[in-house]
Amino acid sequence: MMENLIVTTGTKSAPENIEIAERLARRLDVSYIARGRDSLASMKQKYKTAYVLVVRHGDLFLETPSGEFFFHPNMAHVRIKNLRQGKKDRFIEAAGIKMGMTVLDCTLGLGSDAIVASYVTGETGAVRGLEASPVIAAVVAFGLKRMTTPNNNVALAAMRRIQVIAADYKDFLRQQPDKSVDVIYFDPMFRRPLLDSVSLNPLRSLADSRPLSEEAVREARRVARCRIVMKEARGSREFSRLGFSVYEGGRYSRVGYGVLDLSSKE
């Protein structure tokens, strides 16, 4: 997809936005095109591209054939608010995440779960998010560092602490030392997608659609100290195929969490 991407700005753009756009283009090794008065549709046609990364009003948007993709924390701030009120979060419960832990999110996507994990691990812990798509990684990293809403300093601090790495998780895991991370998390594209998740639709054409492999789980077993967790559609056969015990997401939830508890076996 990288050869099918250009970077530009809004039609009326401050020098700061142009500088950001040029820097992003260099990092992604694609062309920066000065916007002028051209519409995005005409730029797509002129430069024969389906994807345009746009720096506009200090934000970053990706125009895709399926709609506009941009970073937003989704329900992360609500989940953090609930945790602060003493309520439980099913992902945190399944992963056994606690303050001071290190968490590796192998499929970052929009980063909602990583934000909640970062809140729980706190300043003494660390959360890294891997994203196979360089352009998704760029959009999400930009948002995590620059977004100022919701007006929740605790959630924003959690966002700022996340380290985004543009990398394939298979390659990354192979390079990690044994027992070097507390929790490893996989949220692969569901084998049966929940297509009514509108916010994810523009991301689908960019995201890594490969199923989680047995090889990746073996590497995760070597690298993780405490738990490996996989999110999938409730009732998915992927849990049994890969050897996960199932921690259901809730009575009415359509998602579930598979858990490999390593702390009692190693």
Side-chain angles (χ1 to χ4, degrees):
M1 197 278 291
M2 299 301 292
E3 67 277 5
N4 197 21
L5 171 73
I6 61 173
V7 182
T8 190
T9 63
T11 51
K12 296 180 180 179
S13 202
E16 177 192 0
N17 289 332
I18 295 172
E19 182 181 344
I20 291 170
E22 291 175 336
R23 188 164 61 245
L24 280 168
R26 289 193 297 270
R27 185 191 310 164
L28 295 170
D29 194 24
V30 298
S31 297
Y32 164 74
I33 307 295
R35 177 69 177 271
R37 296 180 178 273
D38 291 340
S39 68
L40 292 178
S42 66
M43 291 185 76
K44 288 180 181 180
Q45 184 175 17
K46 182 176 181 179
Y47 296 100
K48 297 179 173 56
T49 182
Y51 298 89
V52 183
L53 194 58
V54 184
V55 182
R56 186 170 66 226
H57 305 307
D59 291 321
L60 190 58
F61 304 85
L62 181 69
E63 292 288 332
T64 83
S66 303
E68 190 176 69
F69 171 63
F70 56 94
F71 170 78
H72 56 89
N74 207 342
M75 292 294 291
H77 64 288
V78 175
R79 291 165 63 188
I80 289 173
K81 181 179 178 180
N82 289 339
L83 284 167
R84 286 169 61 84
Q85 293 174 349
K87 299 176 183 178
K88 293 184 178 181
D89 183 274
R90 293 189 179 98
F91 161 62
I92 296 299
E93 292 289 305
I97 297 172
K98 296 178 176 60
M99 183 177 293
M101 278 188 164
T102 54
V103 177
L104 179 64
D105 184 341
C106 287
T107 47
L108 182 64
L110 281 169
S112 182
D113 288 325
I115 295 168
V116 179
S118 179
Y119 162 72
V120 175
T121 59
E123 294 182 1
T124 58
V127 175
R128 289 180 291 175
L130 308 181
E131 176 50 58
S133 166
V135 68
I136 292 177
V139 171
V140 174
F142 188 92
L144 287 169
K145 297 302 180 188
R146 295 178 67 100
M147 177 167 272
T148 57
T149 56
N151 188 20
N152 182 329
N153 290 336
V154 175
L156 292 178
M159 290 163 57
R160 302 292 191 261
R161 287 194 295 267
I162 298 170
Q163 180 187 8
V164 178
I165 303 170
D168 181 289
Y169 60 75
K170 281 187 179 180
D171 296 335
F172 188 88
L173 285 170
R174 291 190 195 105
Q175 298 168 9
Q176 303 311 300
D178 293 358
K179 306 304 175 190
S180 55
V181 176
D182 289 313
V183 176
I184 293 178
Y185 178 52
F186 295 99
D187 181 8
M189 298 293 282
F190 289 1
R191 294 302 90 199
R192 294 185 177 181
L194 305 179
L195 294 176
D196 57 348
S197 181
V198 177
S199 64
L200 293 179
N201 288 339
L203 182 147
R204 296 185 195 281
S205 63
L206 306 167
D208 183 356
S209 61
R210 296 171 300 171
L212 186 59
S213 69
E214 294 178 2
E215 177 192 351
V217 175
R218 283 196 301 271
E219 284 297 312
R221 279 182 176 272
R222 179 183 62 79
V223 175
R225 284 190 289 264
C226 299
R227 288 189 186 183
I228 304 166
V229 179
M230 179 179 71
K231 183 179 180 181
E232 246 291 356
R234 184 170 182 160
S236 171
R237 295 179 180 178
E238 290 293 280
F239 294 123
S240 59
R241 179 178 74 84
L242 295 167
F244 286 87
S245 59
V246 180
Y247 177 98
E248 290 293 357
R251 184 176 179 182
Y252 301 107
S253 176
R254 292 185 295 169
V255 303
Y257 296 95
V259 178
L260 289 173
D261 189 349
L262 308 177
S263 58
S264 60
K265 299 177 183 180
E266 302 291 339

